[in-house]
């Protein structure tokens, strides 16, 4: 079983729901993104959605739009988002990650 399936199975056994925070990778920078991932994990997050910034996030509200703009200024790509997940693993994160992006990229 993968980490996501294991997490949901464990939560189901405990009759709990998942806390799944979202963050835009690269906002304000990669190092801070990894720090935030680790803080979310220590605060009790079960799964983290790593948002890949996109130039036209039409389906998102103004907060995520601005976060995407800042991350894109840092040249964040899908590859950067995957590398960020690896950096979080290297620093000890055991959480499942969901890569959240648009169909367009």
């Amino acid at each position: 079983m993968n980490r996501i399936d294991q997490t949901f199975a464990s939560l189901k056994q405990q009759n709990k729901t998942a806390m799944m925070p979202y963050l835009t990778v690269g906002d304000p920078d990669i190092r801070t993104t990894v720090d935030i991932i680790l803080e979310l994990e220590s605060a009790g997050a079960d799964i983290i959605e790593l948002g890949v910034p996109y130039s036209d996030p039409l389906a998102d509200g103004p907060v995520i739009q601005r976060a995407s703009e800042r991350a894109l200024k840092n040249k964040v790509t899908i590859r950067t988002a995957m590398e960020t997940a690896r950096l979080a693993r290297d620093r000890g994160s055991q959480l499942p990650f969901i890569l959240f992006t648009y169909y367009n990229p």
Side-chain angles (χ1 to χ4, degrees), residues 23-38 50-53 67 70-91 99:
L23 65 132
T24 302
V25 173
D27 178 34
D29 55 57
I30 298 303
R31 182 177 177 176
T32 304
T33 299
V34 174
D35 290 343
I36 292 169
I37 290 168
L38 297 172
L50 298 176
V52 178
R70 290 187 297 266
L72 288 170
K73 287 180 183 175
N74 292 329
K75 309 238 186 285
V76 173
T77 65
I78 292 173
R79 187 174 304 255
T80 310
M82 292 187 293
E83 176 67 12
T84 301
R86 188 193 62 76
L87 291 170
R89 286 276 183 268
D90 289 348
R91 289 193 42 203
L99 197 64

Side-chain angles (χ1 to χ4, degrees), residues 19-23 36-38 40-41 45-50 93 95-99:
M19 182 171 88
M20 298 173 41
Y22 169 91
L23 65 132
I36 292 169
I37 290 168
L38 297 172
L40 288 170
E41 185 168 5
D46 297 300
I47 296 171
I48 294 182
E49 288 184 275
L50 298 176
S93 178
L95 287 181
F97 300 125
I98 296 173
L99 197 64

